[in-house]
Amino acid sequence: IGSVKYRDSLITMDADRGTYFRNGERWEARGHVVTENLQNGSTLIGPSLDYYRAIAGVRDTAEIYAIGRPTIKSVTTDSAGQRGEPYVIVGDRVRIKGNDRTWAGGKVTINRSDFAAKGDSLLLDSGPGNLGVLIGKPEMRGLGRDSFTLTGRRIELTLKQREVDYVKALGNGHA
């Protein structure tokens, strides 16, 4: 209770309160939770987070569950490894598995200076899958000189080095 700080080889996590459960290798962090992924620089800030550590025989990949409209800053890097502007993802609830798979539900928004999107649910695989899917009255807007608005029943996007590379609207697509 108070100022809890947790560190391992994958993340840093600070919170007002924290409880560690050795059986299951799980951390419950409550109250102004701030995490940073040490491998890709992404952060998550929110009121409540459960962190499940990767441990042999239990789970092969670390997982995070967060509720209460957490904010994720998903960092991008260019081919030279330089960090670029992050995508800011907000949803009522979020699940992150490993460094590259994110699911968000409930009034999801994704924002950046050149891009804005919203929908009810988001699937984002910025790793080997290189894809994203927005459903639930999704809308995507390109901001800037070549602005656009895209709607449909489902919006799919492909990624290249964690950057949006291709977008399509399925089912009543409209641009």
Side-chain angles (χ1 to χ4, degrees):
I1 296 177
S3 180
V4 177
K5 295 184 181 306
Y6 171 80
R7 308 290 186 260
D8 70 17
S9 61
L10 300 176
I11 73 165
T12 66
M13 180 171 44
D14 298 342
D16 292 340
R17 297 175 309 283
T19 304
Y20 173 69
F21 297 90
R22 186 171 180 179
N23 184 17
E25 294 290 330
R26 176 174 55 104
W27 263 103
E28 287 183 358
R30 303 293 184 261
H32 193 70
V33 180
V34 178
T35 66
E36 180 181 3
N37 181 312
L38 296 174
Q39 294 179 333
N40 64 25
S42 295
T43 61
L44 184 146
I45 298 173
S48 176
L49 178 137
D50 292 347
Y51 171 58
Y52 295 81
R53 295 180 58 208
I55 183 163
V58 177
R59 74 186 63 79
D60 64 350
T61 306
E63 297 184 38
I64 290 175
Y65 297 91
I67 60 172
R69 294 202 59 79
T71 298
I72 299 168
K73 290 186 179 176
S74 182
V75 175
T76 61
T77 54
D78 63 19
S79 58
Q82 297 296 314
R83 287 189 180 177
E85 181 182 2
Y87 292 98
V88 179
I89 302 168
V90 178
D92 290 346
R93 59 203 165 277
V94 172
R95 176 181 179 214
I96 301 171
K97 188 167 184 176
N99 292 320
D100 50 24
R101 289 171 287 171
T102 302
W103 296 265
K107 300 177 188 166
V108 177
T109 61
I110 307 168
N111 290 292
R112 202 167 87 157
S113 65
D114 60 344
F115 168 87
K118 64 182 180 178
D120 182 63
S121 298
L122 166 72
L123 157 69
L124 182 63
D125 183 345
S126 59
N130 285 317
L131 67 91
V133 178
L134 274 166
I135 60 172
K137 298 183 181 176
E139 177 182 287
M140 182 176 290
R141 294 181 296 127
L143 308 173
R145 204 176 94 202
D146 294 327
S147 64
F148 66 88
T149 300
L150 183 66
T151 60
R153 293 168 69 77
R154 174 183 175 112
I155 294 178
E156 294 182 356
L157 47 108
T158 57
L159 305 172
K160 186 174 184 179
Q161 296 178 324
R162 298 177 71 104
E163 293 280 349
V164 175
D165 185 52
Y166 182 82
V167 177
K168 65 181 171 180
L170 303 168
N172 299 322
H174 182 75

